Amino acid sequence: MSDKQLDFEFRERLNRIVGGDHHNYCYQCGACVAVCPAARFSDEFNPRDILLMTLLGREQELISADSIIWKCTNCYSCYERCPQDVRPVEVIIALKNMCTQQGVLPDNVDKFSEAIIQTGRSVVITSTINRRRQALGLPELKDVPVEELKIILDE
Amino acid sequence: MAENVRVIPFWGCMIPVKYPQMELSVRKTMEPLGVELVDMDGFTCCPDPIYFKARDKVQWLTVAARNLCIAEEAGLDIITMCSGCTSTLLEAKFILAEEPELKEKVNQRLKRIGKEYKGTVTIKHIVVMLRDDIGMEILSSTVKRPLTGIKVGIHYGCHLLKPSQIMHIDDADYPSLLENLIQTLGATPLTHTEKLLCCGKGCLDDNMPLQMTYEIFASMEAVGADCMGLICPTCFNSFDIGQILISRKMNRIFDLPVIYFCQLLGLAQGFQPEEVGLHLHRIKIDKIMEKLVKSESVEFAL
């Protein structure tokens, strides 16, 4: 981290993503690290380091399909604990949104979310499901209004 | 009996499609409590607070707001059965209240389908409704077969409690909601070291999620739990099949049944395990049923 060049342009772009602007509040106390399960189970993952790289504007290290940010468990413990209202998990998710903008989303994340847009559900319905539901005495699953989704998601 | 409570169930995706036994247990157990489930057409995925949100937060908010509109139009509260749905719907409501410009942007999109998100709907996880709108007294009045002697290892999961600024459900570090509910069923709630550890499902890594599951089960085993009690289908996915994966990959057998809260409630209300879909779980509950039958016969002898 000896490079003294800060990439403010990157940070300005991050500020425009929902929740991305809160990265500015981070004063590097490390309260998030103490409660982070990913930091506990991985030697590489450290939310304070991710925030520091963000403050420095290290775009190349942060924005990629194999970036460390994808190992976040999304548990919200850092959001709960942060004394500065940084909401680190939300900053990490904003960084993930940047991955989308640059077309470097991990494959499974892309496919999973695409399935939601195409089918309206995150779990694909197979022919056996309604039979299993019927056997349990549950009502048949109806189609979801996929057309409406496409209309509201049209950029 | 309490005044009739009418709510809209937001079933989400995992429960109706992958784990319909959980839906079954909700439908069975709400009836004796006087809760009327008003099923609505038109809901989509909440959408999920991990992947879909990672792709595009504005799209995520838009789809969530569309779902909330359906309940607003009907004028009833939403109950959620999945912590992921709870997280998405409550956080979307929070963000849209916090950022009026974003709400405007979302509403411009919703206008295309003739909808407007107002922000008036109340969203509650089913266990929160049970605590706040039904109450322990009425809950306990429907218990026909107290789960005496059954030690339930509690797993809160992450998204019910955190962030407390949004969820407003319980103390995120020292919660008591599930302990109180499980005690009301006559069972013994067990706290344990890893009670609040994440199940790991949202982490894109080959090993970490399994390691987290391992620690949680080791911690429950150490305090002598008979089963695990939880409230989220995603955590269930980590833990039911997760124990099988641990036995294969880590060569360690746990064999602790994982039971959704309304299935425990169903057993306490006198339903048979099959009536609340417990026969569909990978880890079977035979030992618990033996223990229950034994404690019932002891009571009879006394």
Side-chain angles (χ1 to χ4, degrees), chain A:
Chain A
M1 303 272 174
S2 61
D3 186 356
K4 292 199 176 70
Q5 288 289 316
L6 300 190
D7 186 349
F8 285 109
E9 191 272 333
F10 167 78
R11 288 175 57 180
E12 278 160 19
R13 266 186 285 135
L14 182 60
N15 286 343
R16 288 194 288 273
I17 299 176
V18 181
D21 54 338
H22 284 237
H23 84 273
N24 295 292
Y25 310 148
C26 177
Y27 55 26
Q28 289 287 294
C29 71
C32 51
V33 185
V35 293
C36 175
R40 175 178 159 194
F41 288 89
S42 154
D43 295 334
E44 303 154 56
F45 190 93
N46 183 313
R48 176 169 59 180
D49 284 352
I50 291 173
L51 260 300
L52 180 58
M53 285 197 283
T54 306
L55 288 163
L56 293 170
R58 296 286 177 84
E59 183 164 9
Q60 275 196 324
E61 284 154 271
L62 290 167
I63 309 302
S64 72
D66 54 6
S67 162
I68 192 73
I69 60 172
W70 297 102
K71 291 196 196 296
C72 168
T73 64
N74 293 269
C75 76
Y76 285 76
S77 296
C78 55
Y79 191 136
E80 184 69 23
R81 191 62 79 246
C82 178
Q84 280 290 98
D85 199 30
V86 170
R87 311 176 180 175
V89 56
E90 292 292 341
V91 172
I92 290 173
I93 297 170
L95 291 168
K96 291 174 175 175
N97 280 194
M98 271 189 154
C99 293
T100 308
Q101 291 172 355
Q102 299 186 19
V104 292
L105 216 52
D107 255 2
N108 49 352
V109 177
D110 198 21
K111 281 183 188 141
F112 188 89
S113 0
E114 190 56 33
I116 293 175
I117 297 174
Q118 295 305 326
T119 69
R121 297 182 201 269
S122 65
V123 189
V124 178
I125 298 198
T126 61
S127 57
T128 56
I129 280 156
N130 271 321
R131 255 180 284 145
R132 191 189 301 163
R133 287 179 58 87
Q134 198 181 18
L136 292 172
L138 292 170
E140 193 177 336
L141 289 179
K142 291 182 185 161
D143 290 336
V144 293
V146 182
E147 273 315 304
E148 284 197 17
L149 272 193
K150 287 182 182 147
I151 294 168
I152 60 171
L153 294 181
D154 187 23
E155 300 289 337

Side-chain angles (χ1 to χ4, degrees), chain B residues 16-297:
Chain B
V17 183
K18 210 165 177 179
Y19 304 123
Q21 65 267 33
M22 295 180 184
E23 180 179 333
L24 180 65
S25 72
V26 171
R27 291 190 187 276
K28 288 261 162 126
T29 55
M30 289 306 106
E31 208 188 323
L33 288 165
V35 177
E36 186 187 341
L37 301 174
V38 183
D39 277 286
M40 298 294 291
D41 290 337
F43 285 136
T44 63
C45 177
C46 59
D48 95 278
I50 316 283
Y51 292 168
F52 198 86
K53 189 178 176 188
R55 189 157 111 152
D56 189 314
K57 283 202 205 189
V58 176
Q59 292 202 341
W60 172 77
L61 283 167
T62 307
V63 177
R66 184 194 158 279
N67 282 325
L68 294 175
C69 284
I70 292 172
E72 282 186 350
E73 286 159 15
L76 292 171
D77 292 355
I78 283 179
I79 59 161
T80 49
M81 272 51 74
C82 159
S83 299
C85 300
T86 315
S87 172
T88 283
L89 297 180
L90 273 167
E91 199 191 345
K93 183 180 170 176
F94 176 86
I95 295 175
L96 293 173
E98 198 180 43
E99 301 193 38
E101 278 175 34
L102 206 51
K103 185 180 169 193
E104 178 58 34
K105 194 171 171 180
V106 163
N107 267 331
Q108 276 169 11
R109 285 162 171 250
L110 293 176
K111 206 175 169 184
R112 299 174 195 163
I113 54 166
K115 289 197 188 300
E116 186 194 355
Y117 171 74
K118 296 190 178 68
T120 54
V121 65
T122 300
I123 306 121
K124 283 179 189 170
H125 191 289
I126 188 166
V127 290
V128 178
M129 177 195 73
L130 289 174
R131 179 189 67 184
D132 296 347
D133 302 334
I134 305 297
M136 300 302 173
E137 211 172 302
I138 287 169
L139 191 63
S140 114
S141 75
T142 66
V143 172
K144 302 278 183 293
R145 175 174 60 190
L147 306 180
T148 314
I150 306 296
K151 290 180 275 182
V152 182
I154 291 184
H155 178 74
Y156 272 93
C158 298
H159 293 161
L160 179 75
L161 303 174
K162 294 174 291 191
S164 52
Q165 180 191 5
I166 295 176
M167 309 312 284
H168 290 299
I169 288 171
D170 205 339
D171 187 313
D173 296 314
Y174 300 98
S176 55
L177 165 63
L178 292 183
E179 282 83 347
N180 291 339
L181 284 171
I182 284 167
Q183 205 152 27
T184 304
L185 308 185
T188 307
L190 287 185
T191 190
H192 56 101
T193 322
E194 306 295 358
K195 180 172 80 170
L196 298 174
L197 181 59
C198 174
C199 78
K201 203 73 187 173
C203 167
L204 282 187
D205 187 85
D206 292 337
N207 301 312
M208 284 158 64
L210 218 52
Q211 284 167 359
M212 293 184 197
T213 297
Y214 183 100
E215 290 302 324
I216 290 167
F217 277 88
S219 151
M220 278 198 308
E221 203 183 65
V223 293
D226 295 311
C227 65
M228 174 192 252
L230 50 56
I231 50 145
C232 171
T234 301
C235 297
F236 177 83
N237 183 273
S238 295
F239 297 147
D240 189 42
I241 192 116
Q243 288 179 74
I244 313 255
L245 293 175
I246 285 177
S247 68
R248 274 187 216 147
K249 292 188 179 174
M250 301 166 95
N251 208 18
R252 173 74 154 84
I253 310 281
F254 282 114
D255 200 30
L256 277 176
V258 183
I259 311 182
Y260 186 69
F261 176 76
C262 288
Q263 292 179 310
L264 282 172
L265 173 58
L267 289 178
Q269 286 179 342
F271 290 108
Q272 293 306 307
E274 297 76 28
E275 291 179 283
V276 288
L278 281 161
H279 60 297
L280 297 171
H281 293 196
R282 299 293 290 266
I283 311 291
K284 301 299 173 198
I285 63 152
D286 300 359
K287 281 182 208 156
I288 294 175
M289 294 315 291
E290 275 169 33
K291 213 168 169 180
L292 266 185
V293 170
K294 222 178 266 176
S295 76
E296 273 180 323
S297 60

